[in-house]
Amino acid sequence: MTIKDRKTEAMMKYKVLITTSGVGSRLGNLTNFTNKCLIRIGDKPAISHIIEKYEANTEFVITLGYYGDHVRQFLNLCYPEHNFTFVEVKNYEGPGSSLCLSILSAKEFLQTPFIFNACDTIVGNSDTIPTPDHNYCAGSQKENTSQYTTLLLDGNRVTKINKKGSLNFDVPYMGICGIKDYESFWNILENFYNLNKNDQTIFEGDIINEMIKTSSFRFHKVNEWYDMGNTEELKKTRQSFQCSVEILDKMNESIFLFDDYVVKFFHEKNIVSDRVKRAKLMKLIVPEIIGSSDNFYKYQKAEGSLLAKTINEEKFLDFLKWTKKNLWIIDKNREIKKECHAFYFDKTFMRIDKFLENNVELENVKINGVRIPSIAKMIEQIDKDWLCSGICSRIHGDFILDNIIETNLDFKLIDWRQNFAGVLEYGDLYYDLAKLNHNLILNHEVLESNGFLIETTEQEITCDVLCRKKMIDCQEKFHRFIQDNGFDLKKVRILTSIIWINMAPLHEYPLNKFLFYFGKFNLHRELKNAQ
């Protein structure tokens, strides 16, 4: 073995520590339903950008705490060939918790040189992370430094890591360091923590400051540093990472796109299990499920283009014919009034109550110049027996253009709904018709570009949406298709309005108010026309 080979072998014998145990409180509501390292940045969660920065044979030590099981599930599902050691940190919040405690919990598995990489720090493609064949701290420039710990330098040597808010510094510290002298690090960390265990602000910088007294730490400059430790920096980071598809973000679910597969996350475990079961019922028209866990499922990426991007009248009519043949398999012998009532009315009342928890319904005001009664009074006017006389059929359940892939041969349906009023095998065909009708007016492109208007005063509410001509043309073809096939267009229109009202509490201001009042306005118009 040559000297070069021995050096290469020595360099490879290190591990990477990623601490995901913290709550991520500086990100507000975004971490109510999952760990902050699973927040989507571009196509993938933050931790994927970190993991993929290192060689595939790297050994990772991951500390788990807040929604730690989500982190474990994701990494095992998406990186089955990687080497992960998971360390449970029981005291990850409150008195006695700190970053130092999380790091100390991993001591047993890091008896070797290692790199510490904070779970909210992403290094750009143009930069490298050095192996820990020497001690170092990484830093980069930031416009607003008040949120960061900082480094004091003497040439290329780190002389001190400052706490946040220090005015005497040379460059912000980015939460990445290499520890060659690991034995010294662990001895100092253990003693320091025992003396300061009630201080929740202690972090790796405190230990490095002690090590600097006897050991040398070099400075490693990073040109591209993407941070997501607070909402302001997260917004900037997301703007730097393009997503390959338009995604309407929700706090309790996420979608992650990889080269060959797609991963869906849901906070509610039953949604995942039901979707996996329904995928088997819709075999061949949906992508193949290739893995799942309690909160995630993974399916083969369908090669093609979103119909939302390529749609025209001719293609849209071809798709409707394909859907009638391949998806909407009608069961004329089954009555589904009970399921429809639960789905269209019980669920709607729950959604309205949820919306009104944080919003006051503006009554006795005009919407788009029309005096409209309360939502409760309008729902009372609906002929429930008529609306709930649905058509029992196999359905998609979230039948929108952004969930339809145009392949070389035909189409694939993605992001199917988990059930219809608890039923997996069937639902109301009218719900698919109404979802598609809604999407021809309100789609991701409109919402992402803020192509909707909501203005409120004490006397009047104005709400409107900007529709592209080709969508209006397709909707005209769709309405003709509905009538030519013997379906009730009035029922589709009313269900479309109910869908908008149901969507309102699932989104933030101003979209939530737009959906609620736009839904009210259209429901009133349809009910009035039905009289």
Side-chain angles (χ1 to χ4, degrees), residues 465-488:
V465 62
L466 181 65
C467 295
R468 293 170 61 189
K469 182 179 184 302
K470 70 176 182 179
M471 291 298 189
I472 295 173
D473 293 340
C474 284
Q475 189 180 52
E476 290 177 359
K477 298 288 186 184
F478 183 46
H479 289 178
R480 192 171 301 123
F481 169 86
I482 290 170
Q483 294 171 319
D484 289 347
N485 283 273
F487 302 131
D488 190 335

Side-chain angles (χ1 to χ4, degrees), residues 119-161:
C119 74
D120 53 12
T121 291
I122 299 170
V123 174
N125 292 331
S126 63
D127 290 285
T128 59
I129 300 175
T131 56
D133 56 355
H134 60 282
N135 299 318
Y136 67 84
C137 296
S140 184
Q141 295 297 334
K142 283 285 182 183
E143 291 182 10
N144 181 6
T145 61
S146 62
Q147 295 286 331
Y148 298 102
T149 56
T150 53
L151 300 175
L152 200 60
L153 306 177
D154 181 7
N156 196 40
R157 186 170 63 89
V158 178
T159 60
K160 186 180 180 182
I161 300 184

